[in-house]
PDB file of all heavy atoms in Angstrom:
ATOM      1  N   ASP A 126      31.291  10.522   0.666  1.00  0.00           N
ATOM      2  CA  ASP A 126      30.682  11.635   1.381  1.00  0.00           C
ATOM      3  C   ASP A 126      29.273  11.927   0.885  1.00  0.00           C
ATOM      4  O   ASP A 126      28.471  12.542   1.582  1.00  0.00           O
ATOM      5  CB  ASP A 126      31.560  12.884   1.275  1.00  0.00           C
ATOM      6  CG  ASP A 126      31.778  13.323  -0.165  1.00  0.00           C
ATOM      7  OD1 ASP A 126      31.928  12.432  -1.041  1.00  0.00           O
ATOM      8  OD2 ASP A 126      31.807  14.535  -0.422  1.00  0.00           O
ATOM      9  N   VAL A 127      28.967  11.475  -0.324  1.00  0.00           N
ATOM     10  CA  VAL A 127      27.610  11.658  -0.861  1.00  0.00           C
ATOM     11  C   VAL A 127      26.811  10.408  -0.495  1.00  0.00           C
ATOM     12  O   VAL A 127      26.641   9.490  -1.295  1.00  0.00           O
ATOM     13  CB  VAL A 127      27.630  11.885  -2.388  1.00  0.00           C
ATOM     14  CG1 VAL A 127      26.221  12.186  -2.904  1.00  0.00           C
ATOM     15  CG2 VAL A 127      28.580  13.027  -2.743  1.00  0.00           C
ATOM     16  N   PHE A 128      26.328  10.386   0.739  1.00  0.00           N
ATOM     17  CA  PHE A 128      25.635   9.212   1.260  1.00  0.00           C
ATOM     18  C   PHE A 128      24.162   9.177   0.867  1.00  0.00           C
ATOM     19  O   PHE A 128      23.446   8.226   1.211  1.00  0.00           O
ATOM     20  CB  PHE A 128      25.744   9.175   2.788  1.00  0.00           C
ATOM     21  CG  PHE A 128      25.174  10.390   3.471  1.00  0.00           C
ATOM     22  CD1 PHE A 128      23.817  10.479   3.753  1.00  0.00           C
ATOM     23  CD2 PHE A 128      25.983  11.459   3.825  1.00  0.00           C
ATOM     24  CE1 PHE A 128      23.280  11.602   4.379  1.00  0.00           C
ATOM     25  CE2 PHE A 128      25.471  12.580   4.447  1.00  0.00           C
ATOM     26  CZ  PHE A 128      24.113  12.654   4.726  1.00  0.00           C
ATOM     27  N   ASP A 129      23.722  10.184   0.138  1.00  0.00           N
ATOM     28  CA  ASP A 129      22.294  10.324  -0.134  1.00  0.00           C
ATOM     29  C   ASP A 129      21.714   9.161  -0.939  1.00  0.00           C
ATOM     30  O   ASP A 129      20.530   8.848  -0.819  1.00  0.00           O
ATOM     31  CB  ASP A 129      22.037  11.648  -0.862  1.00  0.00           C
ATOM     32  CG  ASP A 129      22.473  12.827  -0.021  1.00  0.00           C
ATOM     33  OD1 ASP A 129      23.681  13.120   0.004  1.00  0.00           O
ATOM     34  OD2 ASP A 129      21.622  13.439   0.631  1.00  0.00           O
ATOM     35  N   TYR A 130      22.538   8.523  -1.770  1.00  0.00           N
ATOM     36  CA  TYR A 130      22.067   7.349  -2.509  1.00  0.00           C
ATOM     37  C   TYR A 130      21.660   6.224  -1.557  1.00  0.00           C
ATOM     38  O   TYR A 130      20.793   5.414  -1.876  1.00  0.00           O
ATOM     39  CB  TYR A 130      23.167   6.824  -3.426  1.00  0.00           C
ATOM     40  CG  TYR A 130      23.559   7.743  -4.553  1.00  0.00           C
ATOM     41  CD1 TYR A 130      24.699   8.531  -4.466  1.00  0.00           C
ATOM     42  CD2 TYR A 130      22.785   7.827  -5.710  1.00  0.00           C
ATOM     43  CE1 TYR A 130      25.068   9.374  -5.508  1.00  0.00           C
ATOM     44  CE2 TYR A 130      23.146   8.662  -6.756  1.00  0.00           C
ATOM     45  CZ  TYR A 130      24.289   9.436  -6.647  1.00  0.00           C
ATOM     46  OH  TYR A 130      24.647  10.262  -7.675  1.00  0.00           O
ATOM     47  N   TYR A 131      22.298   6.161  -0.411  1.00  0.00           N
ATOM     48  CA  TYR A 131      22.111   5.024   0.482  1.00  0.00           C
ATOM     49  C   TYR A 131      20.940   5.204   1.442  1.00  0.00           C
ATOM     50  O   TYR A 131      20.597   4.281   2.179  1.00  0.00           O
ATOM     51  CB  TYR A 131      23.412   4.774   1.268  1.00  0.00           C
ATOM     52  CG  TYR A 131      24.619   4.783   0.361  1.00  0.00           C
ATOM     53  CD1 TYR A 131      25.734   5.575   0.637  1.00  0.00           C
ATOM     54  CD2 TYR A 131      24.635   4.024  -0.819  1.00  0.00           C
ATOM     55  CE1 TYR A 131      26.827   5.601  -0.220  1.00  0.00           C
ATOM     56  CE2 TYR A 131      25.715   4.059  -1.681  1.00  0.00           C
ATOM     57  CZ  TYR A 131      26.810   4.844  -1.382  1.00  0.00           C
ATOM     58  OH  TYR A 131      27.885   4.874  -2.231  1.00  0.00           O
ATOM     59  N   LEU A 132      20.325   6.377   1.419  1.00  0.00           N
ATOM     60  CA  LEU A 132      19.174   6.621   2.276  1.00  0.00           C
ATOM     61  C   LEU A 132      17.943   5.823   1.842  1.00  0.00           C
ATOM     62  O   LEU A 132      16.967   5.745   2.585  1.00  0.00           O
ATOM     63  CB  LEU A 132      18.843   8.119   2.292  1.00  0.00           C
ATOM     64  CG  LEU A 132      19.916   9.035   2.876  1.00  0.00           C
ATOM     65  CD1 LEU A 132      19.473  10.500   2.772  1.00  0.00           C
ATOM     66  CD2 LEU A 132      20.234   8.675   4.311  1.00  0.00           C
ATOM     67  N   ARG A 401      17.075  14.949   1.384  1.00  0.00           N
ATOM     68  CA  ARG A 401      17.063  14.413   2.747  1.00  0.00           C
ATOM     69  C   ARG A 401      15.725  14.660   3.430  1.00  0.00           C
ATOM     70  O   ARG A 401      15.216  13.789   4.152  1.00  0.00           O
ATOM     71  CB  ARG A 401      18.222  15.008   3.536  1.00  0.00           C
ATOM     72  CG  ARG A 401      19.567  14.525   3.025  1.00  0.00           C
ATOM     73  CD  ARG A 401      20.749  15.349   3.481  1.00  0.00           C
ATOM     74  NE  ARG A 401      21.945  15.000   2.723  1.00  0.00           N
ATOM     75  CZ  ARG A 401      23.099  15.641   2.796  1.00  0.00           C
ATOM     76  NH1 ARG A 401      23.231  16.685   3.620  1.00  0.00           N
ATOM     77  NH2 ARG A 401      24.131  15.259   2.057  1.00  0.00           N
TER      78      ARG A 401
END
Side-chain angles (χ1 to χ4, degrees):
D126 60 322
V127 185
F128 59 84
D129 299 80
Y130 294 100
Y131 313 128
L132 297 178
R401 292 164 192 173

